[in-house]
Amino acid sequence: MLQVTSLAGKSFLDIGTGSGLFSLAAIRLGATRVHSFDFDHESVACARQLKARYFAQAPNWVIEQGSALDEAYLSALGTFDVVYAWGVLHHTGSLFQALENTCRRVAPGGKLFVAVYNDEGLRSRLWRAVKVRYCRSLAWRLPIVLGFGSYFSAKGLVKDLALLRNPFSRYRSYKTQRGMSYFTDLLDWLGGFPFEVAKPGDVIDACCARGFVLTKLKTPLQPKGNNEYVFARIEPR
């Protein structure tokens, strides 16, 4: 959404780092300090393995387990020139508290990159109900996986046949495009809870009330998906 060719002289905070790929990109772009954290210990282990493979001797890249809702932990980190929270705050269970905590980590004149699920009204609430049941018990999990897995597969098949494409090609190329297999991605979506959504105006108002200005907004072509924002923190006079 916004091309960055250099982070030389900049500090970078990666909230919900996941595999650590964006932190790796920040190091390669010349960031002088990179701090990555994730609530999930397996994601932390993956990011550490990534660092060990490519930048094992980089003392300026720290990877830890932490939460976007832990104000004491975040406060101890200080502020950063670039704060990156891409598609993670809506999984904390308290979206706007996590957003407020995130905003506090941006240095004056710094940038905030954030992506949040779009509020689709009734559709979003129905998906939330599905995710609650999926996570609640195994009795719900199997019929949900079978039902939605069959629906999405049939939908893709009809589309491929209508466009005269090989129906199997979407599954062969899926991992290359998404970084995970089709089935893994399906389970990741169905079990992705906590799950919160927000209208663009609500996110923009929350950030602007904390001293930011919106510099870029990208909304999904369809109602579903993430709204993607870039904010700049106003420097004090």
Side-chain angles (χ1 to χ4, degrees):
M1 98 177 274
L2 183 65
Q3 186 175 9
V4 176
T5 58
S6 175
L7 289 175
K10 304 291 186 181
S11 54
F12 184 91
L13 176 61
D14 190 2
I15 297 177
T17 189
S19 65
L21 282 174
F22 295 109
S23 293
L24 175 63
I27 283 285
R28 286 179 166 173
L29 287 171
T32 54
R33 176 192 175 205
V34 175
H35 192 99
S36 317
F37 74 86
D38 202 292
F39 185 75
D40 176 52
H41 67 90
E42 291 185 358
S43 294
V44 172
C46 181
R48 285 175 175 166
Q49 186 177 59
L50 194 73
K51 179 188 175 184
R53 181 177 299 182
Y54 295 104
F55 283 92
Q57 305 305 316
N60 59 329
W61 182 6
V62 176
I63 304 168
E64 296 180 332
Q65 186 170 12
S67 169
L69 297 178
D70 188 339
E71 295 183 54
Y73 170 74
L74 290 170
S75 181
L77 300 180
T79 58
F80 295 77
D81 299 307
V82 178
V83 174
Y84 190 87
W86 206 252
V88 296
L89 302 184
H90 47 228
H91 290 309
T92 61
S94 185
L95 168 60
F96 283 95
Q97 181 60 57
L99 181 61
E100 180 176 350
N101 294 346
T102 297
C103 287
R104 291 174 179 166
R105 296 305 101 219
V106 183
K111 296 288 183 66
L112 169 63
F113 293 74
V114 62
V116 176
Y117 282 139
N118 186 42
D119 186 346
E120 305 169 46
L122 178 60
R123 188 174 188 274
S124 295
R125 279 158 259 311
L126 290 174
W127 269 121
R128 186 182 189 281
V130 169
K131 291 169 181 287
V132 167
R133 285 161 177 76
Y134 178 94
C135 295
R136 180 172 292 169
S137 71
L138 291 174
W140 274 105
R141 195 165 301 174
L142 182 59
I144 286 175
V145 171
L146 290 176
F148 284 100
S150 299
Y151 168 74
F152 290 132
S153 297
K155 184 178 178 181
L157 176 63
V158 170
K159 182 177 181 180
D160 288 335
L161 293 177
L163 296 175
L164 302 179
R165 295 189 305 210
N166 183 346
F168 296 103
S169 62
R170 70 168 54 237
Y171 303 107
R172 287 197 293 263
S173 61
Y174 200 89
K175 190 171 184 177
T176 302
Q177 297 172 357
R178 288 282 294 168
M180 66 182 89
S181 70
Y182 171 80
F183 188 68
T184 299
D185 199 11
L186 174 66
L187 297 183
D188 180 67
W189 169 251
L190 294 174
F193 192 81
F195 170 78
E196 293 180 82
V197 297
K199 296 183 183 298
D202 294 332
V203 174
I204 294 169
D205 288 347
C207 291
C208 289
R210 290 164 178 80
F212 288 81
V213 293
L214 179 70
T215 61
K216 194 170 183 66
L217 169 63
K218 181 180 178 182
T219 56
L221 296 177
Q222 301 176 6
K224 62 182 179 180
N226 287 306
N227 293 309
E228 304 171 0
Y229 311 82
V230 180
F231 293 95
R233 184 172 180 184
I234 303 170
E235 294 192 55
R237 294 182 182 273

